[in-house]
Amino acid sequence: MSMQRQLPTYDELPNFKDFSGCAWEVWGKDDQLGTINLLTDEVVKEASKEIKTGKAVCLNWPIQFPNRPAFGRIPPTHKVIFKADRGAVNDDTLHINTQSGSQWDGLKHFGLLKHGVFYQGTPATFFKTGEIRIPDPTNVDPELIKFGIHNWAQHGICGRGVLLDMVKFYSDANGGRLPYDPMSTHAVPASDLLACAQKEGITFRQGDILLMRVGFMQRFYGGTQDEREGIADKPETLDNHFAAVASDQPALERWPPPASTGHLHQTILGLWGMPIGEFFDLEALAKQCEETGRYTFFFSSWPLNVLCGVASPPNAAVR
């Protein structure tokens, strides 16, 4: 590989008012990719060397789950339409909130709340809301679609993936049992993430896609239906220059966040421009990693190519 671009450390980044670590303009003032810029052709080519067996593992939860999404989002509805007049033809329609299940949060999803700005200091009032119609593909207003999820969809989120299996890490140290309930508020300190990486034999690389299994999916399947539907009611930093971060949790970060630190989404999305993945189904991947003893792999994700979109199911898999 050629020499990687030298990026500033967290401490070298400027402040934005009362926020530290502002990465606006690291990639230029007109950037709309954020940390996905790290996934260069060379980085992806190098990551392809992680493919050893060719076996694929899907990371997407079925679109129907959870039945009662968190944060008041509408549940998905799926309708199959039989076209009786044509003998043997079906269509179907799907109506979803793009953040009801497995998802990438895009750059338009979460900004700096009290300052009313998104990535690159974009005012919250800049974005058009309500129904967005774009009838002519040859006449698309670039300002209308600015920071849309289509930018990541057209680039792809592909590179070396790394799984930190915190469930195994904690369970191995606690007699096979988790010392916390994944459906309750629980903080995972950066020191534990680093210790898990060391135990798994991982050395992080610039541009890695970080996946963290904290136990929500395992707990969800093992819980009662009342517990499953109950989810509807409810920064430490690493200078490793990850391209994206995702977990099996509903919000990635500790939720509700402590009043003293506020929402980590503000830093990851609003200041860094880094994709946040939530509700990733990492159970089969964790099993394969444990069986092979390898916690790195080739990761591939192609979000929906929705011009102006806020978020998307990830369409993610690893090999």
Side-chain angles (χ1 to χ4, degrees), residues 63-105:
I63 206 85
Q64 288 89 347
F65 303 132
N67 181 56
R68 290 189 64 208
F71 312 116
R73 291 171 177 145
I74 62 168
T77 57
H78 179 215
K79 183 179 180 181
V80 178
I81 305 164
F82 176 53
K83 298 192 173 184
D85 60 324
R86 300 187 65 184
V89 176
N90 285 320
D91 279 0
D92 62 354
T93 61
L94 187 63
H95 184 205
I96 62 170
N97 181 307
T98 54
Q99 294 166 282
S100 63
S102 297
Q103 67 192 263
W104 284 120
D105 290 348

Side-chain angles (χ1 to χ4, degrees), residues 249-269:
Q249 298 294 110
L252 179 75
E253 63 177 297
R254 180 180 178 181
W255 199 275
S260 59
T261 58
H263 298 275
L264 191 57
H265 274 56
Q266 296 180 106
T267 294
I268 297 177
L269 281 171

Side-chain angles (χ1 to χ4, degrees), residues 33-82:
L33 288 176
T35 54
I36 295 302
N37 281 287
L38 292 167
L39 299 175
T40 63
D41 293 349
E42 289 184 335
V43 167
V44 176
K45 182 179 178 181
E46 182 69 17
S48 71
K49 296 176 183 178
E50 295 289 334
I51 302 174
K52 305 299 182 183
T53 67
K55 181 179 179 180
V57 179
C58 174
L59 306 183
N60 311 291
W61 210 6
I63 206 85
Q64 288 89 347
F65 303 132
N67 181 56
R68 290 189 64 208
F71 312 116
R73 291 171 177 145
I74 62 168
T77 57
H78 179 215
K79 183 179 180 181
V80 178
I81 305 164
F82 176 53

